[in-house]
Amino acid sequence: MLTIIEDLLTPAEVRDLCSDLTQANWVDGAQSAGSRSVKVKQNQQVERSDPLGLQLSNRLLARFGEHPQFVSATLAQKIWPPMFNRYTGGGHYGLHVDAALMHHPELGLDLRSDISGTLFLNDPDEYEGGELQIETAFGAQSVKLPKGHLVLYPSSSLHQVTPVTHGTRVAAVTWIQSSVSDDSARTMLHELDQSIQSLSAHVDSQGEVENLVRLYHNLLRRWASA
Ligand code: NI
Protein backbone atom coordinates (compact mmCIF):
# COMPACT_ATOMS: atom_id res chain seq x y z
CA MET A 1 0.00 0.00 0.00
CA LEU A 2 1.04 3.60 -0.61
CA THR A 3 1.39 5.76 2.48
CA ILE A 4 1.90 9.49 2.27
CA ILE A 5 3.38 11.33 5.22
CA GLU A 6 2.76 15.04 4.86
CA ASP A 7 5.16 17.69 6.13
CA LEU A 8 7.85 15.32 7.35
CA LEU A 9 10.04 18.40 6.93
CA THR A 10 8.87 22.01 7.21
CA PRO A 11 9.41 24.31 4.20
CA ALA A 12 12.22 26.06 6.15
CA GLU A 13 13.95 22.73 6.82
CA VAL A 14 13.68 21.81 3.14
CA ARG A 15 15.12 25.17 2.17
CA ASP A 16 18.14 24.71 4.50
CA LEU A 17 18.67 21.16 3.30
CA CYS A 18 18.54 22.14 -0.38
CA SER A 19 20.89 25.04 0.19
CA ASP A 20 23.40 22.67 1.86
CA LEU A 21 22.89 20.14 -0.95
CA THR A 22 24.23 22.56 -3.57
CA GLN A 23 27.66 22.17 -1.87
CA ALA A 24 27.57 18.36 -2.03
CA ASN A 25 29.47 16.21 -4.50
CA TRP A 26 26.98 15.25 -7.25
CA VAL A 27 27.85 12.33 -9.53
CA ASP A 28 26.19 10.35 -12.33
CA GLY A 29 23.44 8.21 -10.77
CA ALA A 30 24.18 5.31 -13.12
CA GLN A 31 27.27 4.57 -10.97
CA SER A 32 25.17 2.97 -8.26
CA ALA A 33 22.65 1.22 -10.49
CA GLY A 34 22.52 -2.56 -10.86
CA SER A 35 23.36 -4.10 -14.23
CA ARG A 36 19.73 -4.11 -15.36
CA SER A 37 18.76 -0.65 -14.09
CA VAL A 38 21.88 1.11 -15.41
CA LYS A 39 20.23 1.05 -18.85
CA VAL A 40 17.18 2.95 -17.61
CA LYS A 41 18.64 5.29 -14.97
CA GLN A 42 19.52 8.81 -15.98
CA ASN A 43 19.92 11.19 -13.04
CA GLN A 44 22.48 12.62 -10.65
CA GLN A 45 22.99 11.74 -7.02
CA VAL A 46 25.18 12.80 -4.15
CA GLU A 47 28.18 10.50 -3.93
CA ARG A 48 27.58 7.90 -1.24
CA SER A 49 30.79 8.65 0.68
CA ASP A 50 30.47 12.46 0.49
CA PRO A 51 30.82 13.69 4.14
CA LEU A 52 28.27 16.49 3.66
CA GLY A 53 25.83 14.05 2.03
CA LEU A 54 26.22 11.68 4.99
CA GLN A 55 25.61 14.50 7.44
CA LEU A 56 22.41 15.56 5.65
CA SER A 57 21.35 11.95 5.38
CA ASN A 58 21.74 11.53 9.15
CA ARG A 59 19.63 14.63 9.70
CA LEU A 60 16.82 12.95 7.76
CA LEU A 61 17.27 9.62 9.57
CA ALA A 62 16.75 11.43 12.89
CA ARG A 63 13.52 12.98 11.59
CA PHE A 64 12.22 9.62 10.37
CA GLY A 65 12.85 8.04 13.77
CA GLU A 66 10.94 10.69 15.71
CA HIS A 67 7.91 10.82 13.40
CA PRO A 68 5.06 8.67 14.86
CA GLN A 69 3.41 7.99 11.51
CA PHE A 70 6.71 6.93 9.94
CA VAL A 71 7.41 4.59 12.85
CA SER A 72 3.89 3.11 12.73
CA ALA A 73 3.79 2.70 8.94
CA THR A 74 7.24 1.13 8.59
CA LEU A 75 7.95 -0.72 11.87
CA ALA A 76 11.51 -0.14 10.71
CA GLN A 77 14.32 -2.43 11.75
CA LYS A 78 16.95 -0.93 9.46
CA ILE A 79 16.88 2.19 7.31
CA TRP A 80 19.16 2.84 4.36
CA PRO A 81 20.72 6.32 4.81
CA PRO A 82 18.62 8.52 2.50
CA MET A 83 20.31 9.27 -0.81
CA PHE A 84 19.79 12.56 -2.59
CA ASN A 85 19.07 12.66 -6.30
CA ARG A 86 18.04 15.13 -8.96
CA TYR A 87 16.61 14.86 -12.44
CA THR A 88 16.85 17.53 -15.11
CA GLY A 89 16.99 17.88 -18.93
CA GLY A 90 14.94 14.77 -19.71
CA GLY A 91 16.46 12.78 -16.81
CA HIS A 92 14.35 9.79 -15.81
CA TYR A 93 14.47 6.35 -14.21
CA GLY A 94 12.63 3.77 -16.35
CA LEU A 95 10.47 0.95 -15.05
CA HIS A 96 12.40 -1.20 -12.54
CA VAL A 97 12.15 -3.01 -9.24
CA ASP A 98 14.50 -2.15 -6.36
CA ALA A 99 17.06 -4.76 -5.32
CA ALA A 100 15.75 -7.07 -2.59
CA LEU A 101 19.08 -7.27 -0.73
CA MET A 102 21.28 -4.24 -0.35
CA HIS A 103 24.81 -3.90 1.01
CA HIS A 104 26.39 -0.63 2.14
CA PRO A 105 30.15 -1.27 2.25
CA GLU A 106 31.12 1.92 4.14
CA LEU A 107 28.60 1.28 6.93
CA GLY A 108 28.73 -2.52 6.86
CA LEU A 109 24.95 -2.42 6.53
CA ASP A 110 22.99 -5.32 5.05
CA LEU A 111 19.33 -4.69 4.44
CA ARG A 112 16.34 -6.42 2.88
CA SER A 113 14.24 -3.78 1.17
CA ASP A 114 10.58 -4.14 2.22
CA ILE A 115 9.57 -0.50 1.79
CA SER A 116 10.87 2.16 -0.59
CA GLY A 117 10.51 5.84 0.23
CA THR A 118 10.77 9.07 -1.73
CA LEU A 119 10.92 12.42 0.07
CA PHE A 120 10.15 15.28 -2.31
CA LEU A 121 12.48 18.24 -1.86
CA ASN A 122 10.94 20.73 -4.26
CA ASP A 123 7.41 21.61 -5.29
CA PRO A 124 5.52 20.09 -8.26
CA ASP A 125 5.29 23.47 -10.01
CA GLU A 126 9.10 23.74 -10.13
CA TYR A 127 9.41 21.05 -12.82
CA GLU A 128 7.44 19.30 -15.52
CA GLY A 129 7.24 15.50 -15.64
CA GLY A 130 9.12 13.67 -12.89
CA GLU A 131 6.10 11.73 -11.64
CA LEU A 132 6.86 8.68 -9.52
CA GLN A 133 4.64 6.02 -11.10
CA ILE A 134 4.07 2.91 -9.02
CA GLU A 135 2.38 -0.23 -10.37
CA THR A 136 -0.18 -1.50 -7.87
CA ALA A 137 -2.89 -4.16 -7.87
CA PHE A 138 -5.30 -1.35 -8.76
CA GLY A 139 -3.26 -0.02 -11.70
CA ALA A 140 -0.45 2.52 -11.91
CA GLN A 141 -0.52 5.31 -9.33
CA SER A 142 1.17 8.58 -10.13
CA VAL A 143 2.76 10.47 -7.23
CA LYS A 144 4.10 14.01 -7.27
CA LEU A 145 4.02 15.66 -3.86
CA PRO A 146 4.74 19.06 -2.31
CA LYS A 147 8.20 19.52 -0.83
CA GLY A 148 8.69 17.94 2.58
CA HIS A 149 6.17 15.15 1.87
CA LEU A 150 7.21 11.49 1.87
CA VAL A 151 5.66 8.57 0.01
CA LEU A 152 6.25 4.98 1.17
CA TYR A 153 5.46 2.03 -1.12
CA PRO A 154 6.24 -1.69 -1.24
CA SER A 155 9.75 -2.33 -2.61
CA SER A 156 8.26 -5.28 -4.47
CA SER A 157 6.44 -2.93 -6.88
CA LEU A 158 7.59 -1.98 -10.34
CA HIS A 159 8.01 1.79 -10.50
CA GLN A 160 9.55 4.56 -12.56
CA VAL A 161 10.31 8.27 -12.58
CA THR A 162 9.03 9.83 -15.80
CA PRO A 163 11.31 12.23 -17.74
CA VAL A 164 11.74 15.71 -16.28
CA THR A 165 11.19 17.88 -19.32
CA HIS A 166 11.52 21.27 -17.65
CA GLY A 167 13.14 22.46 -14.40
CA THR A 168 14.80 20.17 -11.88
CA ARG A 169 13.31 17.57 -9.57
CA VAL A 170 15.16 17.05 -6.26
CA ALA A 171 14.35 14.21 -3.87
CA ALA A 172 15.76 11.87 -1.25
CA VAL A 173 15.21 8.12 -1.53
CA THR A 174 15.52 5.43 1.11
CA TRP A 175 14.81 1.75 1.72
CA ILE A 176 13.53 0.16 4.87
CA GLN A 177 13.72 -3.32 6.34
CA SER A 178 10.62 -3.78 8.44
CA SER A 179 10.02 -6.00 11.46
CA VAL A 180 6.94 -7.12 9.51
CA SER A 181 8.08 -7.99 6.01
CA ASP A 182 4.61 -8.86 4.70
CA ASP A 183 3.05 -5.74 3.21
CA SER A 184 -0.59 -6.64 3.88
CA ALA A 185 0.08 -7.58 7.52
CA ARG A 186 2.07 -4.37 8.04
CA THR A 187 -0.70 -2.32 6.42
CA MET A 188 -3.35 -3.81 8.74
CA LEU A 189 -1.19 -3.07 11.78
CA HIS A 190 -0.73 0.52 10.63
CA GLU A 191 -4.47 0.99 10.07
CA LEU A 192 -5.25 -0.52 13.48
CA ASP A 193 -2.68 1.75 15.12
CA GLN A 194 -4.11 4.85 13.42
CA SER A 195 -7.61 3.93 14.61
CA ILE A 196 -6.37 3.37 18.15
CA GLN A 197 -4.67 6.79 18.08
CA SER A 198 -7.82 8.60 17.01
CA LEU A 199 -10.10 6.58 19.34
CA SER A 200 -7.84 7.38 22.31
CA ALA A 201 -8.60 11.05 21.82
CA HIS A 202 -12.39 10.62 21.71
CA VAL A 203 -13.50 7.52 23.56
CA ASP A 204 -14.27 7.70 27.29
CA SER A 205 -13.93 3.97 27.79
CA GLN A 206 -10.15 3.60 27.95
CA GLY A 207 -10.63 -0.07 28.79
CA GLU A 208 -11.85 -0.71 25.23
CA VAL A 209 -8.92 1.20 23.78
CA GLU A 210 -6.54 -0.85 25.96
CA ASN A 211 -8.13 -3.98 24.57
CA LEU A 212 -7.41 -2.84 21.01
CA VAL A 213 -3.84 -2.00 22.03
CA ARG A 214 -3.54 -5.54 23.38
CA LEU A 215 -4.79 -6.92 20.05
CA TYR A 216 -2.33 -4.71 18.18
CA HIS A 217 0.61 -6.03 20.17
CA ASN A 218 -0.55 -9.62 19.94
CA LEU A 219 -0.77 -9.36 16.14
CA LEU A 220 2.65 -7.71 16.12
CA ARG A 221 3.97 -10.57 18.27
CA ARG A 222 2.59 -13.03 15.71
CA TRP A 223 3.95 -11.29 12.62
CA ALA A 224 7.12 -9.48 13.63
CA SER A 225 10.68 -10.72 13.63
CA ALA A 226 12.93 -9.11 16.22
NI1 NI B 1 13.60 2.42 -7.57
Side-chain angles (χ1 to χ4, degrees):
M1 178 175 108
L2 269 59
T3 303
I4 291 170
I5 300 181
E6 297 180 358
D7 299 317
L8 190 106
L9 296 181
T10 66
E13 287 172 322
V14 174
R15 195 176 52 239
D16 289 349
L17 186 69
C18 288
S19 147
D20 290 343
L21 272 177
T22 59
Q23 311 296 318
N25 185 22
W26 291 87
V27 296
D28 183 354
Q31 281 181 14
S32 71
S35 56
R36 284 187 64 80
S37 24
V38 71
K39 299 190 194 86
V40 294
K41 186 176 184 187
Q42 191 191 322
N43 68 1
Q44 285 188 307
Q45 64 194 30
V46 172
E47 193 185 26
R48 198 171 55 199
S49 57
D50 180 45
L52 176 60
L54 287 170
Q55 190 190 322
L56 300 176
S57 183
N58 281 332
R59 200 190 288 175
L60 285 185
L61 277 179
R63 291 312 297 268
F64 291 168
E66 67 194 18
H67 197 290
Q69 205 189 337
F70 181 92
V71 173
S72 166
T74 63
L75 298 168
Q77 234 168 16
K78 299 178 184 180
I79 305 176
W80 189 271
M83 289 168 49
F84 301 96
N85 63 30
R86 65 186 180 197
Y87 296 78
T88 193
H92 61 277
Y93 198 159
L95 201 63
H96 67 281
V97 69
D98 295 337
L101 298 175
M102 306 175 70
H103 175 65
H104 195 304
E106 288 87 356
L107 300 178
L109 170 69
D110 286 297
L111 174 147
R112 180 195 63 234
S113 62
D114 297 317
I115 306 166
S116 301
T118 296
L119 174 67
F120 290 78
L121 291 175
N122 60 350
D123 276 324
D125 62 2
E126 294 178 58
Y127 56 95
E128 280 167 24
E131 282 93 4
L132 172 63
Q133 286 185 351
I134 304 160
E135 305 279 336
T136 74
F138 307 105
Q141 304 247 356
S142 199
V143 184
K144 189 170 173 177
L145 300 175
K147 65 180 172 223
H149 287 27
L150 171 75
V151 61
L152 299 168
Y153 57 98
S155 298
S156 53
S157 357
L158 279 168
H159 56 275
Q160 62 181 320
V161 176
T162 64
V164 172
T165 53
H166 190 261
T168 301
R169 174 195 195 266
V170 189
V173 292
T174 187
W175 295 270
I176 296 143
Q177 177 175 319
S178 177
S179 304
V180 177
S181 61
D182 182 72
D183 184 61
S184 62
R186 192 173 56 249
T187 299
M188 284 191 278
L189 285 168
H190 180 49
E191 288 174 354
L192 179 55
D193 179 60
Q194 297 293 99
S195 295
I196 290 169
Q197 297 306 325
S198 62
L199 278 177
S200 311
H202 302 295
V203 174
D204 290 337
S205 169
Q206 287 306 313
E208 289 305 311
V209 172
E210 264 326 298
N211 207 27
L212 289 174
V213 171
R214 180 183 66 83
L215 281 171
Y216 174 85
H217 282 282
N218 286 345
L219 287 170
L220 191 55
R221 206 166 268 121
R222 174 169 293 209
W223 287 331
S225 61

